[in-house]
Amino acid sequence: MWPVKEKIIVFDTTLRDGEQSPGASLNVQEKVEIARQLEKLGVDVIEAGFPASSPLQLEAVKRVSAESTAIVTALARAVENDITAAWKALSQAKKPRIHTFIGTSDIHIAGKFGSDRYGVSLQEKRQTILNMAVDAVTFAKTFTPDVEFSAEDAGRTDQVYLAEIIEAVIAAGATTVNIPDTTGYTWPSEFGRKIADLHSRVSNIANAVISVHCHNDLGLAVANSLSALEHGARQVECSMNGIGERAGNASLEEIVMALKVRSDLHNFYTGIVTEELYNTSRMVSTFTGIIIQPNKAIVGDNAFSHESGIHQDGMLKNRQTYEVMKPESVGVPQTSIVLGRHSGKHGLKSRLHALGYDVQDQELEVVYKRFVDVADKKKEVFDDDLRVLMGDERKKPQSAYELDYLHINSGTASIPTATVRISHKGQIFEESAIGDGPVDACFRAIERALSIESMVTSYSVRSTTAGRQALGEALVRIRDKNVSFNGRGVSTDIIEASAKAYLQALGLRQHHFENNITETIEHGV
Ligand code: KIV
Ligand code: ZN
């Protein structure tokens, strides 16, 4: 037993780094709803976005700031414009934090600061970057006392230089200093040593909280984060379901449950209400369109299922034989509450509320109508059906294309043919096409109708619940100008779900380019 417990600050970056996952763009309402759920979950810091990257990002951070009681932070490169945009977005936050960063490894310096205006030799460039970091922190401090600095690619940054830059930003007023393993390159014991070594080199380190932000390129993000905590880090940056750039970030649920389940090994605790993990995970998956692998630790469908006879027998005799934590401790529902066509609006509203969705009266009318449609087609409506309905509902404002009509002709002895009618900004587009199968025919008809080339890079369909009448959920990812968009469609008819998913992805693409979001958020100045 450990005498004194130390709180680990949980910094959630689902809405920022998580949203940088390919195709995962979230609209403002979705961000607000996820932020509400993150508060319920008890995270200490919500990183809500990168305001300088687009007006939509700015708006989303503003809305999250206005509502949240947790610390809300926004990312800014180490330049005045970004910091000003971050502050503009955060100014209504009850506890605002500006998070500014700059690349510090030689690889980043060579790649991003190659121009002579940053200096000619590596030594000169390093000095320029150090000065930029200090200036950024000093400037951010003019807006708020709570300023975080990140040394991007710290995992591969020369340790002596890293210590120097950290000492300088702390002296300039940074209250949190983040050591990101941006490329997921480090090894747990190595990363732990890095943190311990900084504690011995940086004379003023006690004046700031040391944070870590680990990416998962080698599958080590959680292990690296835990090792860092053992060696002096006290804030951990992570995301729900581990989503984020490339292979993602350290998964929040895994870090939190590892700390909780193995509390015999350390004296840390978090403020996370672990029973909210499951709902949060499902909401993030629904809104981002990124499905959770079945064997994902803590929140995957199989995380608590026992298949083999030996395991099942062991579980019946004593759950501890094959279970290190109880499913209910992470909020996995033990009994399934089922709604049906006779369920009223009140029942629907309270079920949605239990799943983390706040539905106000006007919206409830719309959602209820959709619910009744589904309940008419399938007798029982499960939680997962409601989640996909809500996911669909929330994406609607961005669905610039409406599927008015779909006719499919398909069978063992006929050529699959599809006819679609789509409305878009008051115009009607109608076309037919044949294809290799009904979905292919449908996608070709959509492409013909809208005069576009095929942009589909991935397509999948699955049923949201068991049973023949289950809702079908289709996911379509498209790519244009190096940006990916995920569309999701839901229906008891999987061809219709597929058409809707494609149209939704096209709608998101249009929204993106119309709003002048010219680039995905890239790390660096
Ligand atoms: O991975 C990274 O280095 C980041 C920083 C901007 C914190 O996301
Ligand atoms: Zn990152």
Side-chain angles (χ1 to χ4, degrees):
M1 281 295 279
W2 299 85
V4 190
K5 290 267 176 201
E6 270 194 85
K7 183 169 177 181
I8 298 302
I9 300 165
V10 176
F11 175 119
D12 179 274
T13 187
T14 308
L15 299 179
R16 199 277 298 168
D17 216 322
E19 203 204 8
Q20 290 173 219
S21 306
S25 71
L26 295 162
N27 62 34
V28 174
Q29 198 185 355
E30 288 166 333
K31 280 199 166 194
V32 169
E33 195 129 22
I34 291 176
R36 280 187 200 138
Q37 181 59 31
L38 290 173
E39 288 225 52
K40 252 198 221 169
L41 181 65
V43 306
D44 302 287
V45 186
I46 298 173
E47 185 164 51
F50 186 178
S53 68
S54 80
L56 274 178
Q57 287 270 335
L58 195 141
E59 177 59 23
V61 177
K62 241 188 194 167
R63 291 271 308 279
V64 171
S65 295
E67 280 207 14
S68 303
T69 53
I71 296 172
V72 178
T73 188
L75 189 66
R77 289 167 292 193
V79 291
E80 280 198 14
N81 278 352
D82 275 32
I83 295 170
T84 310
W87 181 248
K88 203 167 156 197
L90 288 169
S91 55
Q92 289 177 44
K94 280 142 215 97
K95 296 182 204 156
R97 170 182 296 182
I98 294 176
H99 177 192
T100 185
F101 76 101
I102 197 162
T104 53
S105 67
D106 291 350
I107 299 173
H108 275 232
I109 293 174
K112 295 175 177 174
F113 305 99
S115 151
D116 282 355
R117 73 190 162 101
Y118 297 108
V120 179
S121 65
L122 176 64
Q123 213 40 51
E124 282 171 6
K125 287 183 192 294
R126 280 186 175 177
Q127 187 57 48
T128 307
I129 283 150
L130 188 147
N131 295 343
M132 286 171 76
V134 167
D135 289 350
V137 170
T138 310
F139 184 55
K141 289 291 275 193
T142 62
F143 300 110
T144 170
D146 190 349
V147 173
E148 172 166 338
F149 171 77
S150 283
E152 194 192 18
D153 203 16
R156 295 186 300 173
T157 297
D158 174 81
Q159 187 73 354
V160 174
Y161 175 56
L162 183 62
E164 211 182 307
I165 203 163
I166 288 171
E167 178 132 8
V169 293
I170 294 176
T175 39
T176 301
V177 173
N178 185 32
I179 312 299
D181 181 22
T182 304
T183 53
Y185 176 72
T186 63
W187 180 265
S189 52
E190 177 195 20
F191 195 56
R193 276 198 305 276
K194 194 169 190 68
I195 303 300
D197 181 69
L198 289 174
H199 276 84
S200 60
R201 281 182 200 271
V202 177
S203 67
N204 55 2
I205 201 156
N207 298 339
V209 172
I210 297 303
S211 170
V212 287
H213 172 115
C214 297
H215 278 270
N216 205 28
D217 299 65
L218 293 172
L220 296 173
V222 171
N224 284 339
S225 304
L226 294 176
S227 173
L229 295 180
E230 283 186 321
H231 289 89
R234 290 295 174 266
Q235 175 176 284
V236 67
E237 303 195 2
C238 44
S239 64
M240 267 327 289
N241 304 336
I243 62 171
E245 283 278 357
R246 307 179 310 280
N249 288 73
S251 136
L252 183 151
E253 62 276 17
E254 291 175 22
I255 291 179
V256 166
M257 289 314 289
L259 288 174
K260 187 169 175 174
V261 172
R262 297 311 311 271
S263 60
D264 55 317
L265 295 178
H266 55 78
N267 63 343
F268 305 134
Y269 72 97
T270 70
I272 295 298
V273 181
T274 59
E275 292 76 10
E276 287 296 332
L277 285 170
Y278 185 80
N279 269 350
T280 316
S281 160
R282 296 289 142 154
M283 180 184 282
V284 167
S285 169
T286 305
F287 286 166
T288 56
I290 299 176
I291 51 177
I292 302 162
Q293 72 195 61
N295 58 329
K296 168 81 183 62
I298 320 294
V299 291
D301 280 346
N302 298 348
F304 295 96
S305 54
H306 303 270
E307 194 70 17
S308 81
I310 296 174
H311 284 217
Q312 288 173 353
D313 188 51
M315 284 294 291
L316 288 173
K317 290 180 176 136
N318 178 356
R319 280 174 73 165
Q320 280 180 344
T321 44
Y322 290 107
E323 215 169 64
V324 297
M325 65 198 134
K326 294 196 171 122
E328 49 271 36
S329 69
V330 301
V332 172
Q334 292 308 285
T335 48
S336 125
I337 294 176
V338 183
L339 301 182
R341 72 166 69 100
H342 300 300
S343 306
K345 278 183 207 157
H346 186 70
L348 176 66
K349 186 173 177 177
S350 71
R351 194 67 214 132
L352 287 172
H353 185 72
L355 300 181
Y357 299 94
D358 234 345
V359 181
Q360 297 312 317
D361 292 347
Q362 212 182 345
E363 193 186 16
L364 181 62
E365 294 297 326
V366 182
V367 176
Y368 186 69
K369 203 164 159 297
R370 294 197 65 182
F371 161 76
V372 170
D373 276 354
V374 173
D376 270 344
K377 289 184 185 145
K378 64 197 287 297
K379 274 210 316 266
E380 297 175 315
V381 182
F382 298 95
D383 287 349
D384 281 342
D385 293 324
L386 295 179
R387 287 191 174 99
V388 290
L389 270 189
M390 286 311 295
D392 210 32
E393 201 47 45
R394 290 290 187 258
K395 279 276 186 258
K396 256 189 168 172
Q398 289 183 355
S399 301
Y401 302 97
E402 280 292 328
L403 181 68
D404 291 345
Y405 171 87
L406 169 68
H407 180 81
I408 299 288
N409 194 358
S410 173
T412 48
S414 62
I415 297 174
T417 315
T419 304
V420 295
R421 188 166 64 227
I422 299 159
S423 55
H424 175 62
K425 295 188 172 166
Q427 277 185 286
I428 300 289
F429 301 85
E430 205 166 10
E431 264 298 350
S432 299
I434 57 169
D436 289 340
V439 173
D440 186 44
C442 173
F443 283 10
R444 284 173 193 264
I446 290 174
E447 286 152 10
R448 267 200 189 166
L450 301 177
S451 308
I452 54 166
E453 299 284 315
S454 173
M455 295 177 187
V456 178
T457 55
S458 87
Y459 164 70
S460 65
V461 64
R462 61 171 195 140
S463 72
T464 54
T465 49
R468 283 160 52 170
Q469 291 152 329
L471 278 181
E473 178 190 41
L475 295 171
V476 171
R477 178 176 296 173
I478 64 171
R479 199 166 169 79
D480 189 16
K481 300 192 183 81
N482 270 334
V483 189
S484 297
F485 306 91
N486 288 340
R488 172 185 289 245
V490 184
S491 169
T492 45
D493 174 339
I494 56 168
I495 315 291
E496 184 188 338
S498 307
K500 283 181 169 172
Y502 194 8
L503 290 174
Q504 188 178 81
L506 290 169
L508 290 168
R509 162 182 162 268
Q510 206 205 22
H511 190 74
H512 178 92
F513 291 116
E514 262 179 13
N515 281 280
N516 281 331
I517 308 168
T518 48
E519 50 177 351
T520 46
I521 300 161
E522 56 164 41
H523 286 155
V525 177

